[in-house]
Amino acid sequence: VLCWLYIFPVYRLPDEKEVVQGVLLQQGRAWRRNRSAVAGFRKLLKDCCDPGRFFAMTKENSPVGKNLWYDGEFLYSFTIDNETFSLFPKATPFQLPLKKCSVVGNGGILKNSGCGRQIDQADFVMRCNLPPLTSEYSKDVGSKTQLVTANPSIIKKRFQNLLWSRKAFVDSVKVYNQSYIYMPAFSMKAGTEPSLRVYYTLADVGARQKVIFANPNFLRNIGKFWKNKGIHGKRLSTGLFLVSAALGLCEEVTIYGFWPFSMDLHGKFISHHYYDNILPDSWFHAMPEEFLQLWFLHKSGVLRMQLEHCE
Ligand code: CDP
């Protein structure tokens, strides 16, 4: 079904059952990284989006006076002033290329997966949307984090935009130890102020976590890259942004928790997230379409997608 889809992509998407069956057919087959496919895909990403240079806002790619457009809405642009410029690192603040990376989506397939140790064995662990990492989950999702994304909408929903007490926020990010909090501060105009507030809140208390801002040009280019490959959602999911960045920044990428379906490979019903069952707004992202692209990358040896229990 999946091969057929890639030859005739204009036809309907396979339904959930067909995807599960297609994936099942591949299970048990040895997976091998395909070095030339990895290099080929990295070249595509470098040509469109250059993650190494443009992943975050830096002093190098965003000088004072530069005008940038918000990538998540039309009409609004902003100009980098001295104060905002002073918040940017000189260049992308990682030792590139990163070696082994785990990218952890929040899918319910991680629950009872026992994948925590394997996830933590990577040199660099990336997570989405400030996920819970309390001890009840560590067996399945690990506890190490080098980078975690945070949308301004989460800051609004969970922490009242940091307009009142900031302690709950500062305490809640301690589980991410010394990691970067990656915020799309310049995707929507309304998100800029809360993102800056997150930056100053953590800086003021001398927290070990440091905020870096997503470069809106990078997000826009990654969006276009996948649109050209047939992903039609209004906006890419955070997870796909992160996997795309990882493929440009890391030598080896393994992804966990990317499974936007309601049953696992054995037909057992699973929750949407490993920590709750709140469903997404299905119009906004196109997660099953995204899944097929990731599955294709897995099959071609560009990344490894972990779907079964670990060990
Ligand atoms: O806010 P958003 O829906 O983008 O993300 P989330 O629910 O916090 O999950 C983080 C990421 O994991 C998503 O952006 C998806 O890429 C991925 N995910 C998945 O593939 N399957 C799921 N059942 C849930 C999340």
Side-chain angles (χ1 to χ4, degrees):
V1 170
L2 292 168
C3 296
W4 169 86
L5 183 80
Y6 276 94
I7 300 166
F8 302 107
V10 287
Y11 290 162
R12 74 172 175 86
L13 273 172
D15 65 24
E16 174 164 346
K17 239 185 174 158
E18 289 168 318
V19 175
V20 175
Q21 273 162 7
V23 172
L24 262 178
L25 280 175
Q26 286 279 322
Q27 295 302 301
R29 290 193 195 170
W31 179 89
R32 290 188 60 197
R33 203 169 300 280
N34 178 336
R35 304 266 160 217
S36 60
V38 171
F41 201 78
R42 184 166 308 130
K43 166 101 177 53
L44 287 180
L45 282 170
K46 182 150 184 6
D47 292 347
C48 81
C49 316
D50 201 349
R53 276 186 66 198
F54 293 108
F55 177 64
M57 303 283 273
T58 65
K59 290 198 162 71
E60 275 173 17
N61 67 34
S62 306
V64 175
K66 189 177 167 100
N67 196 60
L68 286 162
W69 289 86
Y70 285 89
D71 66 288
E73 61 189 333
F74 297 110
L75 298 179
Y76 294 113
S77 69
F78 63 98
T79 305
I80 313 276
D81 57 21
N82 281 314
E83 191 156 32
T84 322
F85 180 78
S86 72
L87 310 182
F88 303 157
K90 188 170 176 301
T92 308
F94 318 132
Q95 194 76 47
L96 295 178
L98 301 169
K99 304 275 180 287
K100 287 187 185 176
C101 295
S102 294
V103 184
V104 188
N106 289 335
I109 196 158
L110 271 171
K111 209 163 141 186
N112 300 321
S113 67
C115 286
R117 211 152 50 119
Q118 194 177 306
I119 289 172
D120 284 354
Q121 268 165 8
D123 305 295
F124 201 90
V125 181
M126 306 187 187
R127 303 184 189 268
C128 304
N129 297 330
L130 301 177
L133 287 185
T134 43
S135 57
E136 69 183 288
Y137 303 116
S138 61
K139 190 171 63 50
D140 297 328
V141 304
S143 55
K144 184 168 155 182
T145 309
Q146 269 72 35
L147 182 130
V148 58
T149 69
N151 280 329
S153 61
I154 307 179
I155 305 303
K156 186 172 175 194
K157 229 184 284 166
R158 289 201 225 154
F159 305 102
Q160 297 79 42
N161 260 341
L162 299 182
L163 286 168
W164 282 272
S165 171
R166 297 168 179 201
K167 187 173 181 305
F169 174 73
V170 172
D171 286 346
S172 79
V173 296
K174 284 186 179 152
V175 287
Y176 308 114
N177 298 321
Q178 194 162 355
S179 59
Y180 288 100
I181 299 189
Y182 182 68
M183 296 200 70
F186 305 101
S187 290
M188 306 287 275
K189 197 165 184 282
T192 303
E193 231 181 81
S195 304
L196 295 176
R197 229 173 276 135
V198 171
Y199 183 101
Y200 287 117
T201 298
L202 294 174
D204 288 355
V205 300
R208 297 167 72 202
Q209 306 76 30
K210 198 165 168 34
V211 173
I212 49 174
F213 303 114
N215 189 315
N217 288 341
F218 174 72
L219 299 182
R220 185 182 300 106
N221 288 336
I222 292 283
K224 276 191 206 155
F225 175 84
W226 286 112
K227 198 166 189 174
N228 288 336
K229 297 201 177 301
I231 291 185
H232 297 103
K234 199 168 155 209
R235 188 170 169 82
L236 292 187
S237 76
T238 305
L240 188 56
F241 275 124
L242 213 49
V243 174
S244 314
L247 287 169
L249 300 171
C250 312
E251 283 174 352
E252 293 184 13
V253 177
T254 305
I255 68 174
Y256 302 83
F258 285 83
W259 183 254
F261 306 111
S262 58
M263 55 183 157
D264 69 9
L265 285 168
H266 309 287
K268 198 172 136 251
F269 282 95
I270 53 174
S271 53
H272 180 62
H273 292 133
Y274 69 81
Y275 47 86
D276 70 25
N277 195 24
I278 298 173
L279 296 175
D281 175 354
S282 57
W283 287 103
F284 202 58
H285 302 316
M287 271 196 214
E289 264 177 38
E290 292 188 359
F291 174 82
L292 287 175
Q293 295 289 344
L294 293 173
W295 179 241
F296 181 64
L297 293 179
H298 169 88
K299 284 203 303 179
S300 39
V302 172
L303 56 72
R304 193 164 83 76
M305 179 189 283
Q306 178 76 36
L307 292 174
E308 290 282 15
H309 285 227
C310 293
E311 286 134 344

